[in-house]
Amino acid sequence: MTTITAAMVKDLRETTGAGMMDCKAALTENAGDMQASIDWLRKKGLSKAAKKAGRIAAEGLIGAVTAGNKGVVVEVNSETDFVARNGQFQGLVKMIAQVALDVGADVEKIKAAKVGSVTVETAVADAIATIGENMTLRRAASLEVSKGVVSSYVHNAVIEGAGKMGVIVALESAGKTDELATLGKQLAMHVAAANPLALDSAGLDPATVKREKDVLADKYRQQGKPENVIEKIVESGLKTYYKEVCLLEQAFIHDSGKSVAQAVKEAEGKVGGPIKVTGFVRYALGEGIEKQETDFAAEVAAVSGQK
């Protein structure tokens, strides 16, 4: 039998906004499986959250850089936030982002690329030796358009182009690049704040859509709704879901009275031509990485030879 800890209950409560006892019941019912417990709470109408956000656990910096019609975003991790505030580390992140802009988003190609007389991999190893803490290039992504711009936004920037979150957005258009760049920056800020999962419903993972449909259907079955009614309610619920997670259907953060798609369409007048949002990438530092929690007192005891 799975042991349900107070920490597990706390995490589920923070994720869903459900009550303490409901969270414990959900975890018990689902053998401690966090995602299954979230779905269980949602089916009973007890969860206030649609999805679990990845816990931000790793330290380091996100670097983002653009040049005209292309842009990249990279994540470089360190062991502590103290190193992320180190000037040498910050310079390393900006250098890696610039290299990625030139060679592409393949991590191994970035590591093998030359900077002066050394490779990026060697530069990272030298920084580790100097600063005394492990560092790693975790991931990279790039966007490019044939005509138009790729814009970026860095949230909580510690230096220009590097911070705790980085976003790039690609806009395809033959219109004025300065107006496009302004719109691109606004959209990148929107992506940072709203965290869409895809451009539109067609870009969503089919498994994610199916899970959403199943959760909605089970929720209303438990309320005793007939199947023919459930089908209509689920379709309506999916439309609401798409407005929450699809970029073009989300309410624009700079003008909540219109959708992002409407804001882009309206901007075509200023730009002087059609605009197509072709893609976006949003990196939040450490998402998806669980940092091992340590007992500081136990660590000190271990070092001193005590038990």
Side-chain angles (χ1 to χ4, degrees), residues 9-207:
V9 174
K10 178 175 177 287
D11 284 347
L12 184 58
R13 187 182 187 193
E14 289 177 352
T15 299
T16 64
M20 191 76 77
M21 295 309 295
D22 290 327
C23 288
K24 185 174 182 181
L27 287 162
T28 302
E29 187 74 19
N30 293 282
D33 185 299
M34 187 64 73
Q35 187 59 63
S37 298
I38 292 170
D39 290 347
W40 188 89
L41 287 167
R42 291 186 61 214
K43 289 172 185 178
K44 293 187 175 297
L46 298 170
S47 172
K48 298 173 186 174
K51 57 187 181 297
K52 179 182 183 295
R55 286 182 61 189
I56 309 302
E59 302 299 342
L61 287 172
I62 304 294
V65 62
T66 62
N69 65 336
K70 63 179 181 178
V72 297
V73 60
V74 301
E75 177 175 2
V76 185
N77 294 131
S78 61
E79 291 181 50
T80 65
D81 183 56
F82 178 76
V83 166
R85 298 194 298 271
N86 177 287
Q88 182 182 352
F89 179 78
Q90 293 169 358
L92 180 71
V93 173
K94 289 199 71 171
M95 178 269 286
I96 290 173
Q98 190 61 52
V99 169
L101 189 66
D102 295 332
V103 305
D106 185 287
V107 169
E108 294 308 315
K109 285 184 179 179
I110 296 171
K111 288 180 181 178
K114 282 284 191 76
V115 181
S117 60
V118 300
T119 63
V120 168
E121 189 168 28
T122 300
V124 172
D126 289 345
I128 292 171
T130 303
I131 297 174
E133 187 171 303
N134 191 33
M135 302 165 203
T136 180
L137 168 59
R138 181 188 175 202
R139 55 181 176 161
S142 64
L143 292 174
E144 186 170 355
V145 290
S146 56
K147 288 183 179 180
V149 301
V150 176
S151 296
S152 67
Y153 169 67
V154 174
H155 189 62
N156 287 337
V158 293
I159 56 171
E160 184 181 356
K164 299 296 184 182
M165 181 188 294
V167 177
I168 53 175
V169 175
L171 300 178
E172 190 173 81
S173 176
K176 302 171 188 173
T177 54
D178 56 341
E179 293 290 351
L180 274 176
T182 299
L183 175 63
K185 179 67 175 290
Q186 291 179 335
L187 291 175
M189 293 174 73
H190 172 97
V191 170
N195 192 18
L197 299 181
L199 271 178
D200 51 33
S201 59
L204 288 170
D205 183 346

Side-chain angles (χ1 to χ4, degrees), residues 194-276:
N195 192 18
L197 299 181
L199 271 178
D200 51 33
S201 59
L204 288 170
D205 183 346
T208 300
V209 176
K210 183 181 183 303
R211 187 165 69 83
E212 188 66 22
K213 290 175 74 172
D214 291 344
V215 166
L216 288 169
D218 286 350
K219 177 180 177 180
Y220 292 108
R221 281 193 192 101
Q222 290 181 25
Q223 294 178 9
K225 305 283 187 187
E227 286 299 318
N228 64 323
V229 174
I230 287 174
E231 187 176 342
K232 292 178 181 177
I233 296 175
V234 167
E235 287 306 312
S236 176
L238 279 179
K239 288 179 182 177
T240 300
Y241 176 68
Y242 295 153
K243 289 179 180 178
E244 292 173 353
V245 302
C246 297
L247 173 60
L248 296 176
E249 295 191 36
Q250 288 178 327
F252 194 34
I253 63 165
H254 300 282
D255 184 350
S256 58
K258 64 186 71 169
S259 68
V260 169
Q262 289 170 331
V264 171
K265 187 67 178 174
E266 286 183 13
E268 290 180 349
K270 283 186 177 181
V271 170
I275 305 168
K276 182 181 180 182

